[in-house]
């Protein structure tokens, strides 16, 4: 297994529910170490850009509205197989299908307002991390950022 980095977002619904600490604790307890964390309110342009891969989907406009409806907590998490591990901890996109104990089973409202985002592959993780953080905002040796 390789040490990876993933981009994690605690979405507006989970922030509103007061779940920031619980969700970050779940990730840390599973060995995912935060290298950067910030709370931001996404602009419409930022949300559209982040989810551009979904721009033809019927739920796109609603998803952008949701993601800009309140602050989000964006973090870079590092650990062994961090991308897959983080997605396991999140659970399925649709919380009715998410395994018991997962973050989405515990905190999601519905398939759209589903509490968390996580990168789905090394290349998307790289793009998503650089979407939110400069290299100098991420903890760790400079060589590891290259
Ligand atoms: P994310 O990319 O946020 O980590 P995911 O990879 O599990 O979630 P995607 O298929 O990439 O799921 O969808 C991106 C986001 O779009 C979902 O997390 C959810 O907020 C929203 N979404 C996905 N499918 C639907 C749907 N059928 N109806 C409404 N919203 C949806
Ligand atoms: Mg996705």
């Amino acid at each position: 297994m390789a040490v990876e980095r993933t981009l994690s977002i605690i979405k507006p619904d989970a922030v509103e529910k007061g779940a920031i600490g619980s969700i970050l604790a779940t990730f840390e307890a599973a060995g995912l170490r935060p290298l950067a964390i910030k709370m931001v309110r996404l602009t419409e342009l930022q949300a559209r850009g982040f989810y551009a891969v979904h721009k033809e989907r019927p739920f796109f406009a609603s998803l952008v509205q949701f993601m800009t409806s309140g602050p989000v907590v964006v973090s870079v998490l590092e650990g062994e197989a961090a991308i897959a591990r983080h997605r396991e901890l999140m659970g399925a996109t649709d919380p009715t299908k998410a395994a018991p104990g997962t973050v989405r089973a515990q905190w999601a409202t519905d398939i759209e307002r589903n509490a968390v985002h996580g990168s789905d592959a090394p290349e998307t993780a790289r793009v998503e991390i650089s979407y939110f953080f400069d290299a100098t905002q991420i903890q760790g040796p400079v060589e590891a950022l290259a």
Side-chain angles (χ1 to χ4, degrees):
M1 274 196 303
V3 173
E4 295 174 337
R5 292 175 181 184
T6 193
L7 193 278
S8 177
I9 302 179
I10 302 175
K11 296 183 178 181
D13 60 326
V15 172
E16 174 63 26
K17 287 175 186 176
I20 297 170
S22 167
I23 293 172
L24 289 177
T26 297
F27 296 149
E28 282 192 301
L32 299 177
R33 299 184 65 81
L35 300 184
I37 303 179
K38 64 181 173 186
M39 180 180 253
V40 292
R41 176 85 180 248
L42 297 181
T43 65
E44 185 181 339
L45 202 61
Q46 285 172 324
R48 289 178 69 89
F50 185 75
Y51 277 124
V53 67
H54 296 303
K55 66 177 187 292
E56 309 300 340
R57 308 283 286 276
F59 58 78
F60 183 68
S62 174
L63 175 61
V64 168
Q65 192 172 27
F66 161 54
M67 290 299 291
T68 59
S69 67
V72 297
V73 173
V74 190
S75 60
V76 178
L77 304 178
E78 182 177 78
E80 287 288 332
I83 296 166
R85 185 82 189 105
H86 182 252
R87 287 183 71 85
E88 270 172 35
L89 294 165
M90 290 198 302
T93 309
D94 179 349
T96 66
K97 298 186 178 124
T102 60
V103 171
R104 281 169 168 162
Q106 189 175 0
W107 293 109
T109 308
D110 55 38
I111 192 170
E112 176 181 88
R113 304 171 69 82
N114 61 0
V116 278
H117 161 83
S119 307
D120 60 12
E123 177 57 18
T124 48
R126 200 185 59 75
V127 171
E128 290 176 1
I129 288 168
S130 63
Y131 197 80
F132 286 106
F133 296 99
D134 295 336
T136 54
Q137 297 172 316
I138 300 170
Q139 302 303 305
V142 170
E143 310 86 71
L145 301 174

